[in-house]
Amino acid sequence: MSSHRFAGEVAIVGIGATEFSKASGRSELRLATEAVKAAIADAGITPDQVGGMVTYSSETNPDVDIARALGIGDLTFFSRIHYGGGAACATVQQAALAVDAGVADYVVCYRAFNERSGNRFGAGVQGRAPIANAEMAHLGSYMPVGLLTPASWVAMAAQRYMHVTGTTSADLANIAIADRKHAATNPKAWFYEQPITLEDHQASRWIVEPLRLLDCCQETDGAQAIVVTSLERARDLPNAPAVIRAAAQGSGKGQDMMTSYYRDDLCGLPEMAVVGEQLWGTSGLGPADMDAAILYDHFSPYVLYQLEELGFCGKGEAKDFIKDGRIEHGGALPLNLHGGQLGEAYLHGMNGIAEGVRQVRGTAVNQVEGLDRIVVTAGTGVPTSGLVLSSDA
Amino acid sequence: MDTRIDHSVALAALVGQVSGEPAMGPHLVNEAMIVHWVEAMGDANPVYVDDAGAREVGLEGIIAPPTMLQAWVMVGLRATLERESARASGSAKSGEESANDTMMRLLDEEGFTSVVATNCEQDYDRPLVLGEQVAVQLTIEAISDVKTTGLGTGRFATTRYDFYVIPPSTERSGSAIAAEVASAERIGTMRFRILKFAPAPRSAPKPPRPLPSVTQDNAFFWEGLKDGELRIQRCTSCGTLRHTPLPGCGECQSLDWDWIVSAGAGEIYSHVTVHYPQVPSFDYPLPIGLIELDEGTRIVANLDMNPDDVKIGMRVQASIVAFDDELSLPVFAPVTA
C-alpha cells in the first residue's frame, strides 16, 4: 500500500490559462507567460514568491525566459518531465515533492504551445533519416512502415481491444458524445454550443481505422499554468485550496513510448494500474469515492482502458459502463466536465487538472453539486501520471 | 478557366486540303529492299523473293509485299530529321509550309507538343512489281475536337496518303510530279492517325520512405532485411526472443545475444488502416499489421492485401521487399489454403 508523505499536505492554489484557439497569433513563449502570470495572480501571490517551475521535456519555452519576463526571482527548483502528455499530473507531483521537501515554497507548473498553428503532433513523425539514438530507434522502427502518428499508434492497440472485448465504434462514440455535451455548455471550449450525436460520430471519416475523426482530440493553441504550495500556506490564500490527496507517476511492464505492442495483451495500460494503485493506496480512497473523473482523452479508446485500470469497472466492461449517460453531467461518474481534449482543448492534459481544481472549488461551468473528490489522469500509451484532488475538509 | 490557345477554326479549314506537292520515292521498287523487308518481318512467302514461285501462283513475277506501300516513298532518317528540325525551329520558309506542316504547327501552338501514332489503315488496289516508281500525295482528312485521353489532352488528326505509280525518272520538280500524278494510276491508300497532345503533368516522383534509426543495438535487424532475412534477437543465455531489439534480456539480465532467422510465418494479432494524414511516401488507404510470428515475437509490418479483407487471426507470410537501396522491409500477405 502506497503512502506518499506529501499527500494531503500540499494543494493547488492557482490556475491560469490563455484562450484556447486554432491560431493564437502570438508566440508560444507569450502564451506561456500569459498563463503563468494569470495563475500567479489567481493564487494571490507575487512573482517573486515563486521558487520553482516544472514543465514537460517537450515544452519549447524555457522556465528562465518566463521567469525573466514576469519578474520571478531566484529559482531553487526546476524540472522537466518526459513522455508528452504523460507528464501532466507529474508536473504537480514534482511540485508537491519540492514543496513538501522544503525546496521551494511556491512552484508553478506550465504547458504552452501553438500545437495547431505551429508544430502539429497529429502530422506525425516525418523525414527520411532520423537521428540514431535509442529513443528514435524505437519509434523509428515504425516510420518506414508508415505508422507515423499518435492516432495510428493508439489505433493498433484499440483494434485488438475492440476485437477481444466486443467494443464497437458506436461504443467509443459515448466518450465523444459526453465530452462534446460538456463542451457545449463551456464558453471556454472550442466546441462550445456544438454537441454531437451518435450519427455525427458514425458519419465522421476514418483517420486510422478503427478511429474516426470524432475519436481524436483537437489540435490547440494555448497555455495552462498551475500553482502548487503547502496546504498550510494555501489556507491563507484567497482561493479554496484543491488538496492533493495523491499524485503519482507510473510506468509498467513491457513499457514503450506509445507502441507497447509486445506485452502479453494489448487490452490494458499497466502503467495506469501502477498510477492507480498509488492514488488509491495513498489517499485511502477508491473509485467508488470519486464524484467525477477527468480521464485523459487524446483518443477515445484509452478512456475505456483507464476506467478498467483504475477500477471503475472490470476488464472488458467499460463499453457497458459508459452507456446510458453514466459518464455525462448528472450521471454516476461524470467524465471530463470541461469537455475534455475532444471538446474543450488539447492542452496536453493540463487543462484537465485546471478543471479538477474548479470542480473542487465549486466554480466550474458544469459543476457537480457537492463534489468533494475527483481523479485526474495524464497522457496514456506512455509512462503516465495521475492525481486525486479534494476540498480541504 | 482554360486559357490555352484555341486554333479550332484554322484547323477546321485545313480538313480536306491536299498537303503540299506530291513526293516521289527515292528508289524504284527493287529486290534488295524487298529482301530486307521480308527478312525483318520473317515472311517466307516465295512470291516476294522467288520469280518461279511467284509465277507458280499465277503472278507475272515477283511482287512487293503490300505492307511496304509507304516504304517506297520514305526519304530516310537524315532527311526526315532535317525537315522536322526546320519545322520545330521555325526556319522552314512560310511558302514551303504544307497543310500538314501548318496543322502540326497549329497543334504545337495549342500546346499539343507531343505526338503518338494511334492507327494506320492501308488499302491496296493492286500489287507493286519490280521497277515501278511510286509517288505519294497527302490530304488532311480529319482533325478532331480537343479530347482528353489517358496520355493527356489533345486532338486526333488523320492524314490520307494516296499512292500512285508514275513513269520512272531521275529528275523531276514537284510540279512535274504533280502533273504525272494527276493522270496516274492509284495503287493504294493509307490513313494515318496521330494524337497530338499536351502530356499530362508528370506527378512528382514519390519520395522514398522514411528510414529507420539504426543504432549499434538494432543494426543487425535492418542489415538482415537488406540481406533478405527477417532476424529476431535471441538471448544466448536463456533463449528468450525479443523484438524490438534491446542490449539486454529482461528475463535473465544477460547482455549476450545473437539472432535467429524467422520463417516469416505468423498471424495477424492486430491491424490498422491509415487514411490520414497522407504522407507522399505511401499509398492510402494503408493497411498495417501487428503480426505474431510463429517463433513467438510480434512485428509491425505492411500488409499486401485489401484493407477490408484484413482480419485478426488471419494466417500471413512475409516476403522481404527492397523499397530502395537503403531500405528493405518484410511485407505480409495472406496464406492461401
Side-chain angles (χ1 to χ4, degrees), chain A residues 169 201-208 210-216:
Chain A
S169 174
H201 177 275
Q202 291 295 291
S204 70
R205 70 178 190 267
W206 294 119
I207 299 301
V208 181
L211 301 186
R212 299 179 183 279
L213 177 65
L214 293 179
D215 291 308
C216 303

Side-chain angles (χ1 to χ4, degrees), chain A residues 17-228:
Chain A
T18 63
E19 82 286 3
F20 303 134
S21 75
K22 301 299 178 187
S24 71
R26 51 208 196 276
S27 73
E28 294 184 327
L29 181 58
R30 165 81 189 219
L31 297 177
T33 303
E34 289 180 23
V36 171
K37 183 177 182 180
I40 290 171
D42 183 61
I45 61 171
T46 53
D48 61 297
Q49 290 179 275
V50 173
M53 298 184 78
V54 188
T55 188
Y56 298 46
S57 60
S58 49
E59 175 73 20
T60 64
N61 305 298
D63 41 24
V64 293
D65 286 9
I66 299 166
R68 292 202 316 280
L70 290 178
I72 291 172
D74 297 341
L75 291 175
T76 55
F77 179 73
F78 27 92
S79 176
R80 287 183 169 226
I81 301 157
H82 206 41
Y83 302 116
C89 298
T91 63
V92 174
Q93 186 208 33
Q94 295 224 346
L97 287 165
V99 167
D100 186 63
V103 172
D105 291 344
Y106 295 90
V107 178
V108 178
C109 310
Y110 67 97
R111 181 76 174 112
F113 51 34
N114 286 323
E115 200 276 321
R116 178 60 182 81
S117 66
N119 179 32
R120 302 174 67 175
F121 300 168
V125 183
Q126 295 188 23
R128 172 75 165 153
I131 303 160
N133 64 33
E135 192 165 55
M136 281 312 297
H138 176 67
L139 274 181
S141 71
Y142 307 110
M143 292 168 57
V145 173
L147 201 73
L148 302 168
T149 62
S152 69
W153 301 327
V154 171
M156 186 67 86
Q159 182 90 269
R160 182 74 192 183
Y161 174 89
M162 293 167 77
H163 173 79
V164 170
T165 62
T167 301
T168 65
S169 174
D171 291 329
L172 299 180
N174 287 311
I175 301 298
I177 291 166
D179 273 3
R180 292 290 292 270
K181 177 183 177 179
H182 300 153
T185 51
N186 172 10
K188 278 211 71 170
W190 179 257
F191 285 121
Y192 177 52
E193 296 182 330
Q194 294 176 67
I196 58 165
T197 63
L198 173 61
E199 291 69 33
D200 294 332
H201 177 275
Q202 291 295 291
S204 70
R205 70 178 190 267
W206 294 119
I207 299 301
V208 181
E209 291 179 63
L211 301 186
R212 299 179 183 279
L213 177 65
L214 293 179
D215 291 308
C216 303
C217 68
Q218 304 176 53
E219 297 175 295
T220 300
D221 287 7
Q224 176 77 56
I226 290 162
V227 180
V228 175

Side-chain angles (χ1 to χ4, degrees), chain A residues 128 131 156 209 261 263, chain B residues 209 211 213 270 275 298:
Chain A
R128 172 75 165 153
I131 303 160
M156 186 67 86
E209 291 179 63
Y261 297 154
R263 290 170 156 167
Chain B
R209 288 183 173 216
L211 291 172
S213 172
S270 191
H275 294 266
R298 295 185 200 134

